[in-house]
Amino acid sequence: MANDSARPELVLFDLGGVLCRFEPDLRAEELATAIGVTEGEIHALVFESGFDQECDLGLHSEDAILERFRAFGFPGKRDDLRRSWAKAFIPDRAVIDLAIALRSEGVVVATLSDNGPVLLAAIESVVTPVAIDEHVFSCMLGATKPDPAAFLAALEFLDARPQQTFFVDDNPVNVLSARRLGIRGEQANKAADVESALRSVGLLRAR
């Protein structure tokens, strides 16, 4: 049986709010400009309508999402939509450096993010590949946090056990859900707090 106090072998990072600052208004502005509508209309069409949540659950392919946006009046191609979508995520260089340091110590580092296939396709333009072993998005899992099914599916995908895993998220509800499954976790959204949380479980020894 794994020791709950053992050094984790896997660290799961939330994307928006931990590895990146989440700035959805930048995305709305970019899409609104491209389509020729207001930001309020973008929020109504995409987010308030529930379409974005359906994308997060993997109910729409990237091709289907692009077609939906073209129906809204989006004039761009696939890469243009990816670039616009990624605008909402501003990398936190200090946290990404922590992820790189973890990997240098032999720790597996993955994201666990509630996002859809457009961002997944663009993710390497947001987070450098040297920081992350695997990106695990809700659209791959068919469930979003804090649903326990999202955590269990992520662990299965990564071939990991709860006791081997440490989870960092800015949402305390998500952290509580993970803990109920035996995953150690902490709420953090600033680099100093993320580093402190990682050190509390015996990580970042070399820093």
Side-chain angles (χ1 to χ4, degrees):
M1 180 176 178
N3 183 350
D4 285 355
S5 64
R7 185 171 181 264
E9 299 174 10
L10 166 68
V11 172
L12 290 176
F13 283 117
D14 180 37
L15 184 66
V18 178
L19 281 170
C20 299
R21 297 198 325 273
F22 183 50
E23 302 286 352
D25 288 347
L26 297 178
R27 174 175 56 193
E29 180 183 7
E30 183 90 359
L31 292 170
T33 299
I35 295 172
V37 297
T38 66
E39 291 179 39
E41 288 174 289
I42 290 295
H43 283 294
L45 286 169
V46 182
F47 304 101
E48 295 168 11
S49 68
F51 178 64
D52 183 52
Q53 290 84 351
E54 292 175 357
C55 295
D56 288 351
L57 289 169
L59 300 181
H60 303 288
S61 68
E62 186 184 18
D63 285 342
I65 295 167
L66 179 59
E67 288 306 310
R68 178 73 68 95
F69 272 89
R70 283 177 172 160
F72 295 154
F74 185 76
K77 298 180 180 179
R78 187 190 312 270
D79 286 346
D80 299 311
L81 183 60
R82 290 176 180 176
R83 187 164 45 250
S84 295
W85 211 263
K87 284 280 187 178
F89 297 86
I90 312 299
D92 186 327
R93 185 68 236 182
V95 179
I96 289 172
D97 283 346
L98 294 174
I100 293 170
L102 288 171
R103 291 191 72 205
S104 74
E105 295 181 10
V107 178
V108 176
V109 179
T111 58
L112 179 55
S113 179
D114 290 344
N115 270 291
V118 176
L119 185 65
L120 181 59
I123 192 60
E124 289 191 359
S125 71
V126 177
V127 178
T128 175
V130 301
I132 303 294
D133 291 287
E134 293 280 358
H135 290 286
V136 184
F137 278 25
S138 58
C139 63
M140 302 161 53
L141 308 175
T144 57
K145 299 172 294 186
D147 187 341
F151 293 100
L152 294 174
L155 292 178
E156 182 177 3
F157 178 83
L158 295 165
D159 193 24
R161 292 181 296 173
Q163 297 88 347
Q164 299 172 318
T165 303
F166 188 66
F167 173 60
V168 183
D169 197 294
D170 63 317
N171 187 332
V173 175
N174 294 338
V175 173
L176 180 59
S177 180
R179 287 175 175 173
R180 286 172 174 161
L181 296 170
I183 299 169
R184 283 175 287 172
E186 291 292 339
Q187 177 192 4
N189 63 355
K190 296 180 180 178
D193 295 335
V194 173
E195 181 170 0
S196 178
L198 294 169
R199 288 190 179 280
S200 73
V201 290
L203 297 170
L204 300 177
R205 293 173 177 169
R207 287 173 68 91

